[in-house]
Amino acid sequence: MSGVPMPAEVVQIARKRLTAAAEEFDGNRTAALVVELAEEWGVERLWDDVCVPVLTARNGCTPAGIAVEHALSEGVRVGLDVFRRDPAAGPPADGVLLAGVEQEEHCLGLHALAAGLRERGRGSLLVGPALPWTALASAVDRARPHTVAVWSQSPVTGRSYRIGRFARDFPAVRVYAAGLGWVDPPTPPVTRLDSLSAALRVL
């Protein structure tokens, strides 16, 4: 039923199940729920309708709240990472590289994007969070992707001038600014991706 809107009652139940699993620090159950919902409703609906609202609801203002928030994020990450992953598959041949911008530790959205691409039969090379610009340049030199999506979650890390400079250094590569941290609109040749659905359409 991938792509079909989730009924409101299904959304509410899914959110409650995910929250309960995280509050019980049951990482395996959290991950299993993510995989189950992704298989039934698709990664986009899982992310937008269930994961983002549940993650946003965790305020992390107390030590217990912070612990649950971390448990939730880790369980969701694991579920997204195992969804339709083939351990025997080699590096993807379609040339999409995903990376968290320098000093950005929160890159769960990139894991959702990678899972959504796998769901559509497209691989990607996810090199993780907080990649220094020099390391990202090295990764592009070695992997030779035709497309790079750089994730920023916070305005502290989303420096539009810096991704613009990176894009100009690699004129043959399509560069996208993904996530909510890019407060100043990136200038061409960089294109902004402000939602999972937009990123999946483009990539």
Side-chain angles (χ1 to χ4, degrees):
M1 295 182 67
S2 177
V4 178
M6 296 177 70
E9 62 272 20
V10 174
V11 170
Q12 293 303 319
I13 292 172
R15 291 177 184 175
K16 288 179 180 179
R17 292 175 68 197
L18 198 63
T19 299
E23 288 178 343
E24 293 169 11
F25 294 96
D26 191 337
N28 287 340
R29 182 153 61 99
T30 301
L33 281 168
V34 168
V35 174
E36 173 190 324
L37 291 165
E39 288 288 2
E40 184 170 3
W41 300 101
V43 172
E44 187 179 338
R45 294 274 56 81
L46 159 72
W47 180 250
D48 287 343
D49 297 345
V50 180
C51 292
V52 171
V54 171
L55 289 161
T56 303
R58 309 307 309 186
N59 55 32
C61 291
T62 65
I66 293 170
V68 171
E69 184 178 3
H70 278 246
L72 173 63
S73 296
E74 181 63 9
V76 170
R77 183 194 64 78
V78 171
L80 291 170
D81 283 351
V82 301
F83 174 70
R84 298 195 183 178
R85 181 183 290 277
D86 180 3
D94 52 7
V96 177
L97 188 148
L98 311 175
V101 74
E102 188 171 71
Q103 299 183 339
E104 180 56 77
E105 298 288 349
H106 300 283
C107 291
L108 201 53
L110 277 187
H111 294 268
L113 179 52
L117 289 172
R118 287 196 303 274
E119 181 182 35
R120 288 154 175 78
R122 295 289 305 277
S124 64
L125 174 60
L126 174 56
V127 292
L131 198 67
W133 289 107
T134 52
L136 179 57
S138 177
V140 170
D141 283 334
R142 292 177 64 107
R144 299 196 177 281
H146 59 65
T147 301
V148 174
V150 186
W151 177 274
S152 171
Q153 183 76 16
S154 163
V156 175
T157 61
R159 299 182 179 94
S160 297
Y161 77 91
R162 192 60 187 81
I163 194 173
R165 185 190 308 169
F166 171 80
R168 290 189 293 274
D169 288 342
F170 293 93
V173 178
R174 290 180 296 183
V175 179
Y176 294 91
L180 302 176
W182 308 99
V183 176
D184 296 326
T187 57
V190 181
T191 302
R192 172 80 180 272
L193 299 174
D194 57 4
S195 69
L196 179 59
S197 60
L200 290 172
R201 283 196 306 271
V202 169
L203 301 180

